[in-house]
Amino acid sequence: MKILLRATLLVVGSAWALPGLALAQDPAAVRQLFEAGQYQEVIDATTGAAGPDVLFLAAQSQQRLGATDQARSTYGQLAARPQTDAWHFIGLSGEQLVDNQTDAALAAARQAVAMAGTLSPAHYQVGLVQAKRQDWPAAAEAFDRAAELDPANAYTHYYSGLMHYQARRPDRMAIQFEQFLKLAPKAPERPEVLQIMRTVRGR
């Protein structure tokens, strides 16, 4: 559990024949790399053609590899987008969260939600900030909404489950963790998620 939570706060989840340019234009393929723990491959997919969702995954991958400065720079690419684009505020929030400016990061993430309420990564970013603030119920609510908007994203379910665990809602935790295990069978967190579920269920 400590390892899982530490990974959450740090973020705050292969051999492809596709050429780098094509991979950068295929967010679903990049997400599969992320969900399999292939973080360097995700980073390698960020070419000049990479969209904001790919850059977002790349920044998280850099954080997981301990490359904080690089993650800040990648979030900065998102923050450089126009202020009329919700991704600008997601990137800004990411930069601020890297620097532990949690109040500013929360405000920026909420601005992204206000601008694009159906954009799952906006809610996901709110969840990351709330997790860093250790506001477990608020983080769980944000990740729940992200999962509703993008149910195919395994890590919306993973973080939702983890936050519900922290908020002492094992029923909600189990639902989200089961979906995570189904969507990301190769995820590096899988053994620890299974251990948590066995412990909670007493088996």
Side-chain angles (χ1 to χ4, degrees):
M1 179 58 220
K2 290 182 179 178
I3 296 174
L4 286 172
L5 185 55
R6 187 161 58 248
T8 301
L9 299 180
L10 279 174
V11 170
V12 194
S14 165
W16 285 85
L18 293 171
L21 179 60
L23 185 56
Q25 295 174 334
D26 188 350
V30 176
R31 181 189 288 178
Q32 286 183 342
L33 292 174
F34 184 78
E35 291 173 350
Q38 302 296 321
Y39 305 127
Q40 188 58 53
E41 285 83 351
V42 173
I43 296 165
D44 291 343
T46 56
T47 69
D53 37 9
V54 171
L55 289 172
F56 189 55
L57 286 173
Q60 292 176 64
S61 296
Q62 288 162 332
Q63 287 181 271
R64 286 170 179 250
L65 293 176
T68 303
D69 291 341
Q70 291 90 332
R72 185 185 294 105
S73 176
T74 303
Y75 282 125
Q77 292 182 57
L78 291 173
R81 297 171 74 89
Q83 293 189 19
T84 53
D85 185 340
W87 280 105
H88 162 82
F89 293 98
I90 294 172
L92 181 61
S93 176
E95 283 185 303
Q96 293 163 335
L97 191 57
V98 166
D99 293 329
N100 292 314
Q101 300 174 19
T102 56
D103 289 345
L106 182 58
R110 283 175 168 167
Q111 180 62 27
V113 169
M115 293 179 65
T118 59
L119 182 63
S120 178
H123 296 274
Y124 190 96
Q125 182 62 29
V126 171
L128 291 176
V129 178
Q130 295 288 31
K132 189 65 174 284
R133 292 161 62 92
Q134 298 187 22
D135 187 340
W136 313 126
E141 181 180 358
F143 286 121
D144 280 351
R145 182 58 177 150
E148 289 172 6
L149 292 167
D150 189 3
N153 185 339
Y155 276 92
T156 62
H157 301 285
Y158 165 70
Y159 284 119
S160 173
L162 190 56
M163 296 304 103
H164 282 301
Y165 178 86
Q166 290 291 331
R168 302 184 185 280
R169 288 295 308 273
D171 53 333
R172 301 287 295 277
M173 175 212 76
I175 293 170
Q176 296 290 0
F177 273 170
E178 285 171 358
Q179 191 64 17
F180 167 70
L181 293 170
K182 182 187 302 183
L183 290 169
K186 297 180 181 179
E189 298 88 354
R190 181 181 178 86
E192 290 155 304
V193 167
L194 289 170
Q195 181 181 356
I196 290 174
M197 293 182 71
R198 282 194 298 267
T199 301
V200 169
R201 289 172 171 174
R203 55 176 204 216

